[in-house]
Amino acid sequence: MTIGLGEIAVTADEMRRVEERIFLAGMPVAALMEKAAGMVARRIQELYPRVSTGSVGVLVGPGHNGGDALVVARELHFAGYRVVVHCPFDRLKDLTAQHAQYVKNLGIEFLETREPLRDCSLLIDGLFGFGLERALTGKIAELVDEINGWGKSIVSIDIPSGIHTDTGEVLGTAIIATRSFCLGLWKRAFFQDNALPYLGAVEKLDFGIPPADVAAIVGNSSPVSLVSRSSVRDWLPLPRPLLTHKYRQGHLLLICGSRRYAGGAILSGLGARGSGVGMLSIAVPTSLKPLLVSHLPEALIIDCPETETGAIADIPADLSFYGAIACGPGLTLEARAVVERVLEIDRPVVLDADGLNILAELGIERVLNRREETVLTPHSGEFKRLFPELSENKDRIEMTREAARKSGSIVLLKGARTVIGDSTGKVRIIPESTPALARGGSGDILTGLIGGWLVQMPEKAVEATAAGAYLHARAGILAAEERTEAGVDGVTLANYLANATGEALATVSPSRE
Ligand SMILES: NC(=O)C1=CN([C@@H]2O[C@H](COP(=O)(O)OP(=O)(O)OC[C@H]3O[C@@H](n4cnc5c(N)ncnc54)[C@H](OP(=O)(O)O)[C@@H]3O)[C@@H](O)[C@H]2O)[C@@H](O)CC1
Ligand SMILES: Nc1ncnc2c1ncn2[C@@H]1O[C@H](COP(=O)(O)OP(=O)(O)O)[C@@H](O)[C@H]1O
Ligand SMILES: [K+]
């Protein structure tokens, strides 16, 4: 897209309004369906060649998703596939009904019952698209459940039927697709954790939506955008100026660890190292100092007096000396006084783990009026403690947006798809990641990494947060590709950060020549 929005993820309502503009401008509805479904049919032929594919069963719903499916059935039939159609609905929208009539007249078999679909090797799901608003029930729900049980390859058109386009919720039940072709613009569900198990491999088919129409509908609101490699490249303060020195490349203070949780401090330090930060100081309980020195020889270790149980009691340093502070991993709830002190300082702060749990005890108002940016990085459990009134919401995108607004902070909600909201209402999503990161310690790396970028670009706190989260996910993906999903421990993940950064920097940038 060239409208300055980058890639965005839209709601069903936004998609409908964009579509309406296109129709109003004169594009016939049937022509748009022909374009979109034609692309689906071509991709199916590429991915499932006729010679190696048995018969194809096409599930047709009552709306235009069903119309798309009928166009696909027709095109596959012309391409020589054996195609059968199952449409368990009496009333179809006009355009869909017309396609159904033509497909019947071509001699394509319409199955009365679902049983014969078992003989197909590929199923096309055109039951419901973004028009689905209520739960699947009765015979349709039974059909979906039975088909899922067969374990066949299923290609969903636009979105797996039964998935809510915006929230990704399962409405009653939903098709578990092998592959989903999202039509035109990414729908939000493609980035909602709830929907991930249903989507299979995902691909967007771009059938030529004028950017001006997208901008007219989405541009003036607060769009949900996807963090891309090229945007990360543009945000990172790299390459560095030739004339620089370590104090110009940011001085980050990490506050982390306790006698009980020493590893969190090391991993946060390794994450910060991955940002290339100029100077790194790490405040830890005094008994952890030798350990930290041995793992992070370049860091200045501030040994802090300890409480009886080995938490940081106080930090013997002027906190305003540092460019930014990242605080939380492994602290335990005993470090409350330390977190209170950090929140008083006019410096950008990243708060994670026990830093967040302590903030939940103090009350979220504590960060509302901070003069410098606060970045909160909760996983869903920490989010619930911080924003209990929002946690009933099923929509991770909207709940992150609301949390950011309420706290006047940048809120990064961790998960399979990480969501970042800022106090202006904008939301950014990390579009891909790997379950290899679902492992203790991955989050500690992220805290240090975001802190490291934040201190190098304090005036662009949202971008620093988004770049950190993007590179963290990419490092996980690259590490898992080489070492399997079982091989991505925290230290390994930290080592792959440089690969992820290199990959982002290698993206071609015509504007930078
Ligand atoms: N984006 C684009 O530009 C393009 C979009 N295109 C395609 O159009 C699709 C959207 O089409 P759509 O609006 O007709 O809605 P769709 O998803 O087919 O379903 C709505 C139908 O289902 C019914 N229904 C709903 N819930 C139900 C339930 N639980 N149980 C039973 N029935 C239920 C509902 O009936 P009603 O609520 O009126 O009773 C209505 O009839 C989109 O996903 C894409 O594939 C392309 O062709 C061209 C380019
Ligand atoms: N299924 C998953 N897919 C992708 N990323 C995941 C998944 N599960 C967890 N992650 C990522 O791993 C990290 C875990 O962080 P966190 O829960 O704080 O763990 P810890 O505190 O043990 O390090 C987060 O960045 C999160 O987004
Ligand atoms: K569908």
Side-chain angles (χ1 to χ4, degrees):
M1 247 183 274
T2 52
I3 50 172
L5 284 174
E7 283 268 35
I8 57 169
V10 298
T11 60
D13 181 57
E14 287 169 338
M15 188 73 232
R16 213 169 279 128
R17 284 156 60 210
V18 169
E19 205 183 45
E20 267 164 24
R21 280 181 64 94
I22 298 174
F23 296 147
L24 265 177
M27 179 72 172
V29 178
L32 200 66
M33 180 181 285
E34 205 60 34
K35 278 190 83 172
M39 291 185 79
V40 175
R42 281 193 292 282
R43 281 299 283 145
I44 289 174
Q45 289 172 64
E46 283 162 12
L47 292 161
Y48 306 92
R50 180 176 56 82
V51 281
S52 51
T53 305
S55 52
V56 181
V58 181
L59 298 160
V60 174
H64 286 176
N65 197 248
D68 288 347
L70 288 160
V71 171
V72 170
R74 186 196 69 209
E75 290 303 299
L76 293 182
H77 166 79
F78 284 137
Y81 289 74
R82 185 178 135 63
V83 178
V84 293
V85 169
H86 183 50
C87 177
F89 299 92
D90 299 326
R91 282 193 317 143
L92 306 182
K93 280 191 177 176
D94 290 348
L95 182 55
T96 307
Q98 269 183 297
H99 280 299
Q101 185 187 343
Y102 185 51
V103 164
K104 268 184 197 155
N105 284 333
L106 285 173
I108 296 175
E109 187 185 355
F110 271 60
L111 303 171
E112 287 301 323
T113 64
R114 57 181 177 255
E115 263 316 297
L117 288 171
R118 263 183 191 275
D119 300 330
C120 297
S121 58
L122 175 66
L123 298 175
I124 310 295
D125 157 33
L127 289 173
F128 306 105
F130 66 67
L132 182 77
E133 271 156 6
R134 50 186 202 278
L136 305 194
T137 52
K139 285 211 172 85
I140 301 300
E142 279 170 30
L143 169 72
V144 168
D145 288 339
E146 189 171 334
I147 283 172
N148 282 339
W150 295 342
K152 293 186 184 295
S153 296
I154 308 180
V155 171
S156 282
I157 301 177
D158 210 13
I159 189 166
S161 299
I163 295 294
H164 191 287
T165 306
D166 304 348
T167 66
E169 270 173 284
V170 177
L171 297 176
T173 186
I175 290 283
I176 301 172
T178 324
R179 191 178 285 283
S180 297
F181 290 117
C182 185
L183 300 179
L185 300 172
W186 285 117
K187 314 300 180 307
R188 287 199 189 165
F190 281 76
F191 310 99
Q192 297 274 19
D193 283 9
N194 284 334
L196 291 190
Y198 295 83
L199 295 166
V202 303
E203 193 175 327
K204 185 177 63 134
L205 298 182
D206 199 342
F207 54 81
I209 296 182
D213 290 318
V214 182
I217 298 303
V218 189
N220 294 328
S221 59
S222 292
V224 173
S225 55
L226 308 181
V227 176
S228 69
R229 194 175 298 175
S230 60
S231 52
V232 169
R233 177 213 53 219
D234 290 344
W235 295 333
L236 292 183
L238 293 172
R240 292 177 166 184
L242 294 177
L243 275 185
T244 187
H245 54 71
K246 59 191 175 190
Y247 291 112
R248 280 212 193 137
Q249 296 305 136
H251 191 163
L252 174 68
L253 173 64
L254 278 180
I255 305 171
C256 44
S258 57
R259 207 181 303 146
R260 179 142 185 238
Y261 302 112
I266 298 169
L267 293 173
S268 308
L270 293 176
R273 174 192 273 176
S275 72
V277 62
M279 286 296 295
L280 176 60
S281 289
I282 311 181
V284 289
T286 189
S287 55
L288 263 55
K289 182 169 183 174
L291 187 69
L292 267 290
V293 170
S294 69
H295 281 277
L296 288 138
E298 76 272 34
L300 301 172
I301 309 300
I302 304 171
D303 46 332
C304 303
E306 297 183 12
T307 65
E308 255 176 43
T309 58
I312 300 175
D314 193 20
I315 302 171
D318 173 4
L319 302 189
S320 62
F321 174 74
Y322 303 93
I325 301 171
C327 170
L331 284 184
T332 78
L333 289 176
E334 272 201 57
R336 182 175 169 129
V338 171
V339 173
E340 285 191 281
R341 201 178 141 200
V342 165
L343 294 177
E344 297 294 310
I345 302 292
D346 287 338
R347 289 285 177 276
V349 166
V350 183
L351 223 51
D352 183 34
D354 282 328
L356 297 172
N357 294 330
I358 291 169
L359 176 62
E361 288 183 356
L362 295 171
I364 198 74
E365 320 75 64
R366 282 290 181 108
V367 292
L368 195 56
N369 295 317
R370 290 197 67 247
R371 257 189 258 160
E372 295 286 338
E373 201 69 70
T374 314
V375 183
L376 308 175
T377 61
H379 55 54
S380 53
E382 291 154 350
F383 188 95
K384 246 182 219 163
R385 288 190 277 279
L386 284 170
F387 305 101
E389 69 290 357
L390 299 180
S391 55
E392 289 305 306
N393 198 329
K394 301 276 187 325
D395 183 337
R396 282 168 48 89
I397 293 174
E398 287 308 322
M399 80 196 218
T400 306
R401 194 201 299 275
E402 187 54 20
R405 199 191 55 73
K406 275 194 129 173
S407 60
S409 305
I410 297 169
V411 175
L412 177 151
L413 177 57
K414 294 170 183 174
R417 293 293 174 271
T418 289
V419 183
I420 301 160
D422 68 34
S423 55
T424 70
K426 288 215 177 81
V427 175
R428 291 182 164 87
I429 296 176
I430 308 302
E432 54 170 4
S433 187
T434 167
L437 294 180
R439 182 166 177 165
S442 316
D444 303 333
I445 302 274
L446 182 66
T447 315
L449 181 65
I450 292 177
W453 285 119
L454 183 62
V455 78
Q456 295 180 75
M457 45 197 286
E459 71 295 346
K460 289 203 254 168
V462 183
E463 289 83 352
T465 305
Y470 177 91
L471 295 171
H472 180 257
R474 278 305 300 168
I477 291 168
L478 295 172
E481 276 169 8
E482 282 183 22
R483 299 171 50 95
T484 80
E485 287 177 357
V488 192
D489 58 280
V491 174
T492 300
L493 176 64
N495 286 335
Y496 274 80
L497 290 172
N499 304 45
T501 310
E503 183 187 65
L505 294 179
T507 320
V508 181
S509 166
S511 59
R512 279 217 174 176
E513 283 297 302

